[in-house]
Tab-separated table of all heavy atoms in Angstrom:
chain	number	residue	atom	x	y	z
A	20	GLY	N	99.666	36.555	62.478
A	20	GLY	CA	98.565	37.598	62.392
A	20	GLY	C	97.404	37.144	61.507
A	20	GLY	O	96.253	37.113	61.909
A	21	LYS	N	97.844	36.514	60.351
A	21	LYS	CA	96.980	35.880	59.377
A	21	LYS	C	97.006	34.322	59.517
A	21	LYS	O	96.145	33.699	59.186
A	21	LYS	CB	97.344	36.317	57.983
A	21	LYS	CG	96.964	37.794	57.733
A	21	LYS	CD	97.196	38.238	56.211
A	21	LYS	CE	98.760	38.164	55.954
A	21	LYS	NZ	99.090	38.834	54.765
A	22	ARG	N	98.110	33.879	59.900
A	22	ARG	CA	98.369	32.396	59.962
A	22	ARG	C	97.810	31.839	61.199
A	22	ARG	O	98.316	32.162	62.303
A	22	ARG	CB	99.968	32.230	59.936
A	22	ARG	CG	100.318	30.769	60.094
A	22	ARG	CD	101.772	30.737	60.314
A	22	ARG	NE	102.237	29.268	60.523
A	22	ARG	CZ	103.420	28.980	61.146
A	22	ARG	NH1	104.252	29.913	61.625
A	22	ARG	NH2	103.598	27.743	61.293
A	23	GLU	N	96.929	30.891	61.130
A	23	GLU	CA	96.340	30.054	62.251
A	23	GLU	C	96.384	30.957	63.527
A	23	GLU	O	97.002	30.621	64.455
A	23	GLU	CB	97.144	28.818	62.464
A	23	GLU	CG	97.205	27.819	61.307
A	23	GLU	CD	97.974	26.680	61.565
A	23	GLU	OE1	97.533	25.688	62.073
A	23	GLU	OE2	99.219	26.724	61.218
A	24	PRO	N	95.383	31.991	63.490
A	24	PRO	CA	95.464	33.001	64.584
A	24	PRO	C	95.048	32.273	65.929
A	24	PRO	O	95.469	32.809	66.986
A	24	PRO	CB	94.443	34.046	64.203
A	24	PRO	CG	93.763	33.573	63.000
A	24	PRO	CD	94.617	32.533	62.393
A	25	ARG	N	94.307	31.226	65.877
A	25	ARG	CA	93.962	30.487	67.002
A	25	ARG	C	95.165	30.005	67.783
A	25	ARG	O	95.228	29.809	69.035
A	25	ARG	CB	92.988	29.345	66.775
A	25	ARG	CG	92.181	28.859	67.900
A	25	ARG	CD	91.292	27.600	67.413
A	25	ARG	NE	91.995	26.547	66.746
A	25	ARG	CZ	92.765	25.749	67.372
A	25	ARG	NH1	92.869	25.637	68.722
A	25	ARG	NH2	93.502	24.716	66.683
A	26	ILE	N	96.233	29.638	66.967
A	26	ILE	CA	97.411	29.144	67.516
A	26	ILE	C	98.411	30.187	67.844
A	26	ILE	O	99.135	30.246	68.797
A	26	ILE	CB	98.009	28.026	66.614
A	26	ILE	CG1	97.098	26.799	66.588
A	26	ILE	CG2	99.359	27.538	67.182
A	26	ILE	CD1	97.512	25.820	65.709
A	27	TYR	N	98.669	31.086	66.814
A	27	TYR	CA	99.679	32.068	66.856
A	27	TYR	C	99.321	33.398	67.195
A	27	TYR	O	100.151	34.429	67.407
A	27	TYR	CB	100.479	32.055	65.482
A	27	TYR	CG	101.095	30.702	65.193
A	27	TYR	CD1	100.672	30.042	64.195
A	27	TYR	CD2	102.048	30.153	65.972
A	27	TYR	CE1	101.069	28.683	63.798
A	27	TYR	CE2	102.638	28.942	65.671
A	27	TYR	CZ	102.147	28.222	64.636
A	27	TYR	OH	102.668	26.962	64.389
A	28	GLY	N	97.906	33.685	67.556
A	28	GLY	CA	97.475	35.023	67.811
A	28	GLY	C	97.200	35.903	66.580
A	28	GLY	O	97.549	35.601	65.486
A	29	ASN	N	96.849	37.153	67.000
A	29	ASN	CA	96.431	38.068	65.916
A	29	ASN	C	97.533	39.133	65.624
A	29	ASN	O	97.337	40.001	64.815
A	29	ASN	CB	95.134	38.883	66.364
A	29	ASN	CG	93.948	37.881	66.411
A	29	ASN	OD1	93.665	37.199	65.510
A	29	ASN	ND2	93.302	37.913	67.604
A	30	LYS	N	98.547	39.097	66.503
A	30	LYS	CA	99.567	40.111	66.293
A	30	LYS	C	100.454	39.759	65.023
A	30	LYS	O	100.819	38.625	64.821
A	30	LYS	CB	100.599	40.315	67.551
A	30	LYS	CG	99.852	40.817	68.659
A	30	LYS	CD	100.937	41.095	69.879
A	30	LYS	CE	100.378	41.978	70.947
A	30	LYS	NZ	99.220	41.213	71.586
A	31	THR	N	100.864	40.821	64.285
A	31	THR	CA	101.723	40.481	63.151
A	31	THR	C	103.209	40.562	63.747
A	31	THR	O	103.468	41.094	64.878
A	31	THR	CB	101.585	41.675	62.167
A	31	THR	OG1	102.065	42.971	62.702
A	31	THR	CG2	100.136	41.732	61.722
A	32	LEU	N	104.082	40.144	62.962
A	32	LEU	CA	105.522	40.276	63.397
A	32	LEU	C	105.999	41.746	63.542
A	32	LEU	O	106.652	41.884	64.477
A	32	LEU	CB	106.459	39.614	62.240
A	32	LEU	CG	107.862	39.237	62.692
A	32	LEU	CD1	107.960	38.405	63.897
A	32	LEU	CD2	108.723	38.655	61.471
A	33	GLU	N	105.399	42.574	62.746
A	33	GLU	CA	105.561	43.975	62.903
A	33	GLU	C	105.178	44.490	64.264
A	33	GLU	O	105.919	45.233	64.951
A	33	GLU	CB	104.992	44.834	61.830
A	33	GLU	CG	105.842	45.070	60.510
A	33	GLU	CD	107.313	45.318	60.905
A	33	GLU	OE1	107.664	46.173	61.609
A	33	GLU	OE2	108.196	44.563	60.449
A	34	ASP	N	103.999	43.973	64.690
A	34	ASP	CA	103.477	44.325	66.116
A	34	ASP	C	104.514	43.956	67.161
A	34	ASP	O	104.702	44.688	68.058
A	34	ASP	CB	102.086	43.595	66.221
A	34	ASP	CG	100.890	44.203	65.320
A	34	ASP	OD1	101.131	45.353	64.882
A	34	ASP	OD2	100.055	43.348	65.133
A	35	ILE	N	104.936	42.659	66.956
A	35	ILE	CA	105.764	42.141	68.029
A	35	ILE	C	107.093	42.833	68.061
A	35	ILE	O	107.643	43.214	69.127
A	35	ILE	CB	105.945	40.672	67.802
A	35	ILE	CG1	104.520	39.889	68.006
A	35	ILE	CG2	107.010	40.117	68.682
A	35	ILE	CD1	104.553	38.408	67.647
A	36	ARG	N	107.610	43.155	66.909
A	36	ARG	CA	108.928	43.912	66.775
A	36	ARG	C	108.714	45.267	67.447
A	36	ARG	O	109.645	45.755	68.030
A	36	ARG	CB	109.260	44.057	65.307
A	36	ARG	CG	109.841	42.784	64.782
A	36	ARG	CD	110.216	42.807	63.277
A	36	ARG	NE	110.847	41.639	62.859
A	36	ARG	CZ	111.274	41.453	61.551
A	36	ARG	NH1	111.053	42.435	60.691
A	36	ARG	NH2	111.845	40.328	61.238
Side-chain angles (χ1 to χ4, degrees):
K21 290 182 286 195
R22 172 192 178 201
E23 299 179 87
R25 199 181 53 80
I26 295 175
Y27 298 114
N29 294 309
K30 287 190 175 62
T31 65
L32 193 57
E33 270 321 301
D34 293 335
I35 292 172
R36 287 175 173 181

